[in-house]
Amino acid sequence: MSAWPIGVFASIDAGLGVKLEVAKELGVPTIQLHAPHASSRTPARAQEFLAKLKSYGITLTAVFGGFKGESYADIPTVVKTVGLVPAETRAARTKEMKEISDFAKLLGCPVVALHVGFVPHDRNDPLYKDVLAVTREVCDHCKANGQALHLETGQETAEGLLQFIGDVQRDNLFVNFDPANMILYGSGEPIAALKKVGKYVRSIHCKDGTWAKHPGKEWGCEVPLGQGDVGMYNYLHTLKEIGYTGPLTIEREIPQEPERQKAEISHAVNLLTALREKLL
Ligand code: MG
């Protein structure tokens, strides 16, 4: 596959992505997939899905874990509900993440990804050690499946993420860089962050957003690609600088408006295609 194939975030029965049929209509050659519900994570469904991908000429580049009970309603709710950080659900979700890795293996996919949640920064916080432990557990399970684990950016600053990845001490732990999340969560200027974590970036999202009035306290606003504060030319230019050649996976998290979602992703495909021509 040539450098920077365009992609889109897709869903079967769970998550914020577009349906596979929409990915086909958009003519994109790659997708990242939000892991389907447990009932759909069977060998038979995997074969069905693979056959569909093949007939559409689409390559699956990553499977994203997500869990029941997660809510992105506002920043405090994300802290309480997302990823492997909340204590009440940690064991069950760690187990589920391993099952998602097994399902990704059935799909022949070498990358599993997730939002790990709001990791505390203090190394002496018992919660920090607990999250380290489960992240290692998931990394090791992925490794046995021949996979890498990618952490979605957003909740941590670049420094916080570097510290955490270093402390996990696993060679199959990398970053799925989402520049808009840095803005939405107020966790740092995305281009500077990308340069800092560049050596770990193995997959990315193309998403845009505008800063909140009080970054980190309230949400920024997700907007169509090219209309926010990321700066798409600068973003792609920096990806080139760090040597990133993987897919450009478009994410537009408005599944409640499928027509608009498809139209805006189509526009994003055109924008990225033009920028790619200019930069590569
Ligand atoms: Mg993202």
Side-chain angles (χ1 to χ4, degrees):
M1 196 172 281
S2 53
W4 289 1
I6 310 272
V8 66
F9 195 81
S11 302
I12 302 177
D13 61 7
L16 304 169
V18 300
K19 290 201 166 73
L20 199 58
E21 289 67 28
V22 175
K24 181 199 170 215
E25 286 158 21
L26 288 163
V28 298
T30 74
I31 58 162
Q32 289 185 345
L33 179 71
H34 191 111
H37 297 308
S39 57
S40 295
R41 295 197 296 260
T42 63
R45 290 300 301 275
Q47 283 315 310
E48 223 173 86
F49 184 68
L50 276 176
K52 222 182 208 183
L53 281 178
K54 196 174 176 202
S55 76
Y56 292 173
I58 293 175
T59 302
L60 174 65
T61 61
V63 175
F64 258 78
F67 309 104
K68 215 197 266 173
E70 290 186 321
S71 167
Y72 292 85
D74 51 44
I75 292 176
T77 308
V78 173
V79 175
K80 263 185 267 160
T81 68
V82 169
L84 304 180
V85 173
E88 321 77 64
T89 50
R90 190 180 304 131
R93 286 178 176 181
T94 301
K95 180 171 170 278
E96 184 167 12
M97 207 51 217
K98 293 177 188 173
E99 290 163 8
I100 288 169
S101 159
D102 294 344
F103 181 69
K105 190 186 179 190
L106 290 176
L107 294 171
C109 186
V111 176
V112 176
L114 88 158
H115 271 286
V116 74
F118 270 96
V119 180
H121 296 149
D122 178 1
R123 284 185 164 121
N124 296 316
D125 186 331
L127 180 60
Y128 186 82
K129 291 173 187 166
D130 290 348
V131 180
L132 271 186
V134 289
T135 305
R136 283 183 189 132
E137 218 180 300
V138 176
C139 276
D140 293 345
H141 190 91
C142 289
K143 179 107 174 175
N145 279 339
Q147 296 159 333
L149 180 69
H150 293 191
L151 299 180
E152 168 98 350
T153 56
Q155 286 122 1
E156 271 65 54
T157 61
E159 292 79 9
L161 195 60
L162 285 173
Q163 177 193 304
F164 183 72
I165 291 174
D167 288 348
V168 174
Q169 293 183 310
R170 291 297 185 270
D171 61 7
N172 63 330
L173 183 61
F174 297 102
V175 164
N176 182 88
F177 192 83
D178 185 325
N181 282 352
M182 307 295 299
I183 291 173
L184 298 177
Y185 286 91
S187 45
E189 204 285 311
I191 304 300
L194 177 58
K195 288 178 183 170
K196 283 183 193 150
V197 301
K199 67 172 175 171
Y200 290 111
V201 174
R202 294 289 174 95
S203 60
I204 63 139
H205 286 159
C206 290
K207 191 170 88 183
D208 215 340
T210 53
W211 293 96
K213 210 175 199 173
H214 306 286
K217 293 200 173 65
E218 59 204 35
W219 278 123
C221 185
E222 194 209 330
V223 298
L225 204 73
Q227 294 179 24
D229 294 328
V230 170
M232 280 302 140
Y233 180 88
N234 213 0
Y235 179 44
L236 266 65
H237 189 267
T238 308
L239 286 171
K240 187 183 175 184
E241 237 172 55
I242 65 167
Y244 179 80
T245 57
L248 307 178
T249 305
I250 300 161
E251 204 180 23
R252 184 69 178 111
E253 299 183 354
I254 47 168
Q256 69 284 5
E257 294 178 77
E259 285 306 312
R260 184 176 154 215
Q261 187 184 35
K262 185 180 172 187
E264 291 181 2
I265 291 174
S266 174
H267 181 263
V269 169
N270 295 337
L271 175 68
L272 292 174
T273 303
L275 286 173
R276 185 177 59 184
E277 261 165 44
K278 220 181 270 183
L279 282 160
L280 286 190

